[in-house]
Amino acid sequence: MSIFEGLRFKTISSPIHRIDPRAKFIYVCVLFAIAVLFSQLIPLLILFFSQMPLIIIAKLKREWLRLMRGSMFFAAIIFIANMVSLYFYGGTQSLAAVVEHSLAMTTRFLILVESFSIFFATTSPDMLSLSLEQIGVPYEFCFAFTTAIRFVPVLAEEAQTIMDAQKARGLELERGNFIKRVKNYIPILIPLIVSAIRRSMELAEAMESRAWGASKKRTSLYSLKMKTKDYIFIVASIIVLLVSIYVRFFISIPSVTELMHLG
Amino acid sequence: MAVIEARNLTYSYPFADKPAIEDINLAIERGEFVLLTGPSGCGKTTLCRCFNGLIPHFYGGKLEGEVWVAGLKTDEHPIHELAKHVGLVFQNPENQLFALTVEKDVAFGLENLGLPRDEIRRRVDWALKVTGIYDLKDRAPFELSGGQQQRVAIASILAMQPEIMVLDEPTSFLDPLSARSILETIYQLNRELGITIILIEHRLDLAARYADRIIVMDRGHIILDGEPRKIFLDDRIKLVGVGLPKVVRLYLALRDDNVNLKRVPLSPEEASRLIAEVLNSDRS
Amino acid sequence: MRRCSTLIEAENVYFIYPNGVEALKGVSLRINDGEFVAIMGQNGAGKTTLVKHFVGLLKPTKGRVLVDGVDTRTVSVAQLARKVGFVFQNPDHQLFSETVEDEIAFALRNFGFDEKTVRERVDWALNLLDLTQYRKTSPFMLSGGERKRVALASVLAWDPKILILDEPTIGQDAYQKERLRHFIIQMNQQGKTVIIVTHDIEFVAECEPRVILMVNGRIIADGDAREVLTDTVAIKEASLVLPEITQVFMGLNDLGFSWKVLGVYEAKCLILERLRGVRI
């Protein structure tokens, strides 16, 4: 599941982590817009690599590499699908042009993955839930969201323990035909469900004991305030978008194939 | 007036055919450190749930008699109101932490109470410092060790500044050193801040030395209630599944052979001192 | 054929979890047929990781583990489990059947015993752990201590040569612990090799097995309970606490007592001896 590693938030501190989630969200939208705006390889590659400084500042190099490796399977499918469709149904294009276009589409996909990753890996779910709260989503929903994220690793570990416990009693998950294999999972699912129910009861007790629902006007330890740097970040993102639109419509961009011919 | 008082308290869980606790009469004074013990299934956890209103508000069932906590009758006040006076710390640290950072967790109760932000900040920092986990405030709870998680749970209760803290086997998942240091912290809260402590604990060897009073339960009843040294000398304690600390057993074994230590030791250090006294007086 | 009495052998075992945590850093040990061993250490010292190797749930990253002469990498968990019964810390991680009887039969059916044998073994295990009255009860209706016994019965039913218990005393009261201690000793006397993983030093002091101390994925001490549990340096390094009675005698060191004392009875004898000037 290396692809999810790159999307999982890590508690580290960097200037990117400290940017307001809303500002980051606008930035990601801008990236999406530009990626969709262009369909040529060169601007898309520039866009792809222009994220590198951000990734380095956010200390995400390792996660980025893992994410790219994890995305390779989907990237390959996109590349091949584009190749096949353009080559057979794309008309009179040269092979080089087909390859270039397919690469461009693949790069576009990678940009989408990359920007998602920058957003999720640098925005703590706490902050995300807080920004949801501040735009008016009910607190119960936001609480459920963060609690779910909090318990994902716990449940994953528990599932592993249960699997080990049953394997130690001779359960072989991979044995038998399809129906038998599905049945093999019952001894794992039942303890997992029972334990999740027990856990949720305990959680509810703990919440009640800490005055859940005491006040209609719940306060929060943190509040998100857009600071100057967040506004600068938003303004910069929008300028980049405007420049991109200008470039897209008023400047002609050569393709790699053309450049090679000129050379 | 007692800070906790139970009068003729009997409680049955929904669908249960017999009461989990029966005819409990109990008064706990402000500032006491009470150790509540007894074999598994004796009703000690049930009794604690009565102290902050989880029983009857959360569990339902049938409650007879009265429980008064900090001057409030528990069945007439909602849990969140009682929570300002009584904090509960549970056995499994994992299932009482919800947030993704330590400080957010400690703030949870205060946020629920709707306190102003700077007040929350002040109290969170204070609670983190008192429990010695200020350095961990930005960490995720699931990355911490069991002992650290239990400290977070204690801090999050402490931040609500309750007069009474009830801890349900807080050390049972911890290794001995962490268990010891958690108990030290609890003791410190009792001595320095005057918080009334009710500690459920099987490991009397670790906990007895801190207690002003031990209550022993068996099959839903309180069977012994008093000063630790007295309780340990009562023969009835041997009949229920309560493990006497080894130093107490050594005291009793020596007594059987007519060697009388001056008093019942509650810790190894005390036992060494008392034994040395006997040996030295014998020599002189 | 030469009779080989070594049942479990770990040779320089290293283990690294997928997340990069190095849990075992060169562990070597031998456990003989019929031994009773306690593996101790702080949470996170690698105790559970090590014993999971004995039933093949984990395979060494480097080095090798032999169980009854077989390299664990060459066989499946199910094959090893026939010889090695592993009782997990929390019974709720394995109970799933409608009745206690089915729960105990589960492993027997997995191992392919015929129905007649299954029935015999279930009866035997129910009886052994005093659960016969709960035969038709749902395991979920039982108390915590009873669930723990069902889990134990469900493993003992196939009569494994080696019994591994992970933190068997957690959450148990004094009476349950006492009962467990008698049971373990009985199993061991009947020839089973018993391995317990625990940080409950008082429990170990009462059982007096061979003790292996682990710190940070390494073994730092291995020997008789009396030697290891009273080794102040090793116990401190392992972040454990000396047994109560040992602590009492540490405090009596000035009077010329040795502190290598574990039990209440021997403590009493030593003190009386000193008082009366005679050996008892």
Side-chain angles (χ1 to χ4, degrees), chain A residues 11 124-126 130 133-134 139 143 146-147 149-151 153-154 157 195 198-223 225, chain B residues 49 52 54 58-59 79-80 83 86 88 90 92 94-101 103-117 120-121 138 140-143 156-157 160:
Chain A
T11 345
S124 98
D126 262 340
L130 196 59
E133 245 175 276
Q134 290 195 350
Y139 176 69
F143 180 77
T146 47
T147 312
I149 292 182
R150 148 89 175 84
F151 279 95
V154 177
E157 197 177 313
S195 153
R198 195 163 288 170
R199 204 183 276 285
S200 62
M201 280 294 284
E202 281 183 29
L203 270 173
E205 254 187 296
M207 282 163 63
E208 291 279 355
S209 303
R210 275 153 76 182
W212 172 262
S215 163
K216 288 227 168 56
K217 285 187 82 180
R218 196 180 185 280
T219 45
S220 177
L221 173 62
Y222 312 123
S223 83
K225 263 220 191 87
Chain B
R49 285 173 180 152
N52 82 332
L54 280 173
F58 183 77
Y59 279 93
I79 302 173
H80 59 74
V86 199
L88 237 69
F90 299 87
N92 188 347
E94 206 168 64
N95 291 345
Q96 49 188 319
L97 306 177
F98 333 100
L100 294 148
T101 63
E103 67 169 12
K104 184 88 178 140
D105 226 304
V106 176
F108 181 78
L110 306 175
E111 294 175 336
N112 286 334
L113 294 174
L115 296 182
R117 180 164 305 128
I120 297 183
R121 170 51 67 197
D138 296 317
F142 63 85
E143 295 172 351
S156 63
I157 293 300
M160 296 172 77

Side-chain angles (χ1 to χ4, degrees), chain B residues 161-218:
Chain B
Q161 300 183 339
E163 299 119 273
I164 307 153
M165 210 183 262
V166 181
L167 305 104
D168 189 353
E169 296 189 43
T171 67
S172 69
F173 287 106
L174 308 184
D175 48 46
L177 270 192
S178 325
R180 214 189 229 193
S181 78
I182 287 283
L183 291 173
E184 281 290 339
T185 303
I186 295 167
Y187 184 59
Q188 187 197 337
L189 299 179
N190 175 253
R191 284 296 108 120
E192 286 167 19
L193 303 172
I195 298 175
T196 309
I197 302 287
I198 299 169
L199 172 68
I200 300 189
E201 188 59 77
H202 280 308
R203 287 145 86 164
L204 298 185
D205 53 332
L206 289 178
R209 67 189 76 171
Y210 306 114
D212 299 315
R213 175 175 169 192
I214 295 184
I215 296 176
V216 183
M217 292 183 70
D218 189 32

Side-chain angles (χ1 to χ4, degrees), chain A residues 158 164-166 168-170 198, chain C residues 52 92-94 103 110 154:
Chain A
E158 183 148 57
D164 282 351
Q166 304 299 34
R169 294 205 292 163
R198 195 163 288 170
Chain C
K52 279 188 176 172
D92 297 336
H93 284 154
Q94 65 164 72
E103 191 67 49
N110 285 334
S154 77

Side-chain angles (χ1 to χ4, degrees), chain C residues 16 24 29 36 41 55 62 69 88 104 117 137 139 153 158-159 169 193 203 214 230 252 258 276:
Chain C
I16 303 171
L24 297 179
L29 82 128
F36 176 16
V55 64
K62 216 174 93 189
F88 279 67
I104 297 174
T117 319
T137 314
W158 75 84
D159 200 22
T169 63
T193 305
F203 185 76
M214 290 186 71
T230 59
L252 294 172
S258 152
R276 298 178 183 162

Side-chain angles (χ1 to χ4, degrees), chain B residues 16-55:
Chain B
D17 45 7
K18 62 174 202 292
I21 48 175
E22 216 173 342
D23 202 25
I24 303 284
N25 283 291
L26 173 74
I28 292 170
E29 299 299 325
R30 190 172 295 274
E32 270 193 292
F33 191 124
V34 179
L35 190 56
L36 180 56
T37 193
S40 303
C42 70
K44 43 191 194 312
T45 299
T46 304
L47 182 57
C48 285
R49 285 173 180 152
C50 294
F51 294 154
N52 82 332
L54 280 173
I55 288 175

Side-chain angles (χ1 to χ4, degrees), chain A residues 5-244:
Chain A
E5 279 294 302
L7 294 173
R8 198 191 299 153
F9 174 70
K10 294 217 173 54
T11 345
I12 40 175
S13 183
S14 80
I16 309 292
H17 285 72
R18 284 191 292 270
I19 292 173
D20 191 286
R22 290 164 291 186
K24 259 185 278 187
F25 186 68
I26 291 176
Y27 171 75
V28 169
C29 290
V30 165
L31 275 188
F32 270 43
I34 303 176
V36 174
L37 212 53
F38 291 96
S39 55
Q40 298 106 308
L41 184 59
I42 290 179
L44 285 170
L45 277 177
I46 292 172
L47 189 60
F48 181 72
F49 286 110
S50 68
Q51 304 309 303
M52 286 314 287
L54 249 70
I55 285 159
I56 291 165
I57 296 171
K59 301 173 191 157
L60 287 173
K61 268 176 294 177
R62 235 211 268 134
E63 286 75 18
W64 182 84
L65 277 174
R66 234 187 253 169
L67 182 71
M68 286 303 128
R69 225 182 301 146
S71 315
M72 273 312 139
F73 176 68
F74 291 103
I77 291 181
I78 289 171
F79 180 76
I80 292 166
N82 270 291
M83 281 289 285
V84 169
S85 62
L86 284 175
Y87 190 75
F88 289 108
Y89 309 104
T92 55
Q93 291 181 53
S94 69
L95 182 61
V98 168
V99 169
E100 182 175 349
H101 188 77
S102 305
L103 277 178
M105 292 302 108
T106 313
T107 311
R108 186 188 269 175
F109 164 74
L110 291 176
I111 291 169
L112 301 187
V113 173
E114 183 183 56
S115 37
F116 250 132
S117 148
I118 291 177
F119 182 74
F120 282 106
T122 65
T123 307
S124 98
D126 262 340
M127 288 301 155
L128 197 58
S129 129
L130 196 59
S131 37
L132 290 174
E133 245 175 276
Q134 290 195 350
I135 58 173
V137 178
Y139 176 69
E140 284 76 8
F141 176 82
C142 304
F143 180 77
F145 169 75
T146 47
T147 312
I149 292 182
R150 148 89 175 84
F151 279 95
V152 165
V154 177
L155 285 179
E157 197 177 313
E158 183 148 57
Q160 185 60 50
T161 308
I162 292 171
M163 239 189 276
D164 282 351
Q166 304 299 34
K167 277 200 221 154
R169 294 205 292 163
L171 177 70
E172 286 175 282
L173 290 171
E174 306 301 324
R175 206 164 67 173
N177 58 25
F178 180 71
I179 306 235
K180 177 84 175 68
R181 280 186 193 203
V182 173
K183 267 184 152 175
N184 283 344
Y185 276 88
I186 291 175
I188 287 160
L189 284 176
I190 291 179
L192 195 59
I193 292 166
V194 169
S195 153
I197 292 171
R198 195 163 288 170
R199 204 183 276 285
S200 62
M201 280 294 284
E202 281 183 29
L203 270 173
E205 254 187 296
M207 282 163 63
E208 291 279 355
S209 303
R210 275 153 76 182
W212 172 262
S215 163
K216 288 227 168 56
K217 285 187 82 180
R218 196 180 185 280
T219 45
S220 177
L221 173 62
Y222 312 123
S223 83
L224 288 175
K225 263 220 191 87
M226 297 279 264
K227 299 201 189 89
T228 322
K229 61 168 194 235
D230 299 316
Y231 286 116
I232 294 174
F233 194 69
I234 294 176
V235 171
S237 306
I238 291 171
I239 291 173
V240 170
L241 178 66
L242 294 177
V243 170
S244 309

